[in-house]
């Protein structure tokens, strides 16, 4: 079926979110860390997949971790009764009332947040769960080891239910400092004797540092079937599935003569007479403008006799369109379906050809692209 057969959508570019792939990926993570509970990280509109789709596919998670109270509110409004963690905690003291009403767990990473929480008087509800964040070497958020234990004792005295938390800077690569081993050593030393559940691993640690998981793991990127390293080959054996497919259509075809140039700046020169396909999809849709010639685009099987073929980008990506070399797809025509990323073309591969990582591309999917779930 042609994508534009959906009568609500005229321009053919559409992102489809495969909720079964969400379920599959969550199941794979449970197999990798059967002893841990799972915070499904759905910040940034579930890494561009929409909170709605993530909620549908990840309902069996133990909790959702996010940044914005509005998203916590959305989950409660739609019936989520389980736990919600605010990954950066309170941005202001005023938020505390809503946090309590929405029954959120809080990360606490700064002295200021401790003071706000200590000032809560006459609260008689359920103890609030705090994930106290240790800066074990990443030097972004969290208490330095020398201050961590004091913060722990103050919040404990104020009646909060405490957990230990830290975040790894290099769980995806062995040779960089601080290593997971160094950060774990700092974590173990600092928290020694302070009994509390822990939350340690992000996606990369879940795959490659099984001794550094903690009672609550915090997978983000793996839930979406994208590689924590930026290299798709690194997760192939772990059998994660791409959750987002970004598809569009060929909206026009040009017959070039040898020596003709394509697009802005004339970056590509035709080495022979050839056809190029013009696709509805450009940087205003979230496709990276930096994509080099050779970046893969998949052209649907229906028009290529077989499994579909990869046709490389030729010429600079523009705001609303991009252009591909159709020499490998002689039957491709106007209306042929293409995949810009998804199961046929890993978003990691597009990212690598554009000087970035899959995380950035999925998060940057533009508002104007309709998101459907299946
Ligand atoms: C975003 C985030 C994660 C998830 O990281 P991935 O690499 O996507 O698995 C985990 N923990 C914290 C604190 C985060 O901010």
């Amino acid at each position: 079926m042609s994508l534009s057969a959906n009568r609500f959508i005229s321009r053919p570019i559409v992102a489809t979110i495969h909720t079964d792939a969400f379920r599959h990926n969550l199941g794979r993570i449970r197999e990798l860390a059967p002893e841990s509970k799972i915070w499904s990280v759905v910040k940034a509109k579930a890494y561009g997949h929409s909170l709605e789709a993530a909620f549908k596919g990840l309902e069996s998670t133990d909790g959702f971790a996010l940044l914005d109270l509005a998203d916590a509110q959305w989950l409660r409004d739609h019936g989520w009764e389980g736990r919600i963690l605010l990954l950066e905690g309170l941005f202001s003291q005023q938020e505390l009332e809503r946090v309590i009403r929405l029954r959120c767990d809080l990360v606490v990473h700064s002295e200021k947040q401790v003071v706000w929480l200590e000032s809560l008087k006459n609260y008689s509800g359920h103890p609030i769960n705090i994930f106290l964040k240790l800066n074990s070497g990443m030097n972004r958020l969290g208490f330095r080891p020398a201050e961590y234990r004091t913060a722990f004792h103050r919040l404990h005295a104020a009646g909060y239910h405490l957990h230990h938390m830290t975040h790894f800077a290099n769980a995806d690569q062995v040779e960089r400092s601080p290593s997971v081993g160094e950060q774990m050593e700092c974590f173990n030393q600092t928290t020694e004797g302070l009994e509390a559940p822990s939350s340690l691993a992000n996606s990369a640690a879940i795959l490659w540092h099984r001794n550094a998981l903690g009672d609550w793991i915090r997978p983000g990127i793996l839930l979406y079937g994208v590689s924590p390293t930026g290299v798709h080959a690194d997760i192939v054996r772990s059998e994660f599935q791409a959750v987002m497919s970004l598809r569009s259509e060929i909206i026009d075809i040009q017959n070039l003569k040898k020596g003709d140039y394509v697009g802005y700046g004339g970056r590509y020169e035709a080495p022979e007479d050839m056809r190029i396909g013009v696709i509805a999809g450009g940087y205003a849709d979230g496709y990276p403008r930096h994509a080099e010639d050779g970046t893969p685009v998949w052209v649907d099987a229906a028009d290529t006799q077989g499994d579909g073929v990869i046709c490389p980008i030729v010429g600079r990506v523009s705001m609303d369109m991009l252009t591909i070399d159709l020499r490998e797809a002689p039957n491709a025509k106007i209306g042929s379906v293409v995949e810009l990323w998804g199961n046929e073309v890993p978003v990691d591969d597009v990212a690598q050809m554009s000087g970035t990582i899959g995380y950035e591309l999925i998060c940057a999917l533009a508002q104007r692209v309709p998101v459907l779930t299946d």
Side-chain angles (χ1 to χ4, degrees), residues 41 43 47 87 133 165 167 202-203 218-221 359:
V41 179
K43 62 196 179 188
Y47 290 42
L87 279 169
K133 192 160 185 181
M165 172 180 175
H167 192 52
N202 57 4
S203 293
R218 303 189 306 275
I221 201 74
Y359 288 81

Side-chain angles (χ1 to χ4, degrees), residues 34-56:
E35 310 284 307
S36 304
K37 290 190 172 159
I38 300 178
W39 287 121
S40 289
V41 179
V42 292
K43 62 196 179 188
K45 301 295 172 215
Y47 290 42
H49 293 58
S50 90
L51 193 55
E52 192 176 353
F55 181 41
K56 200 169 152 198

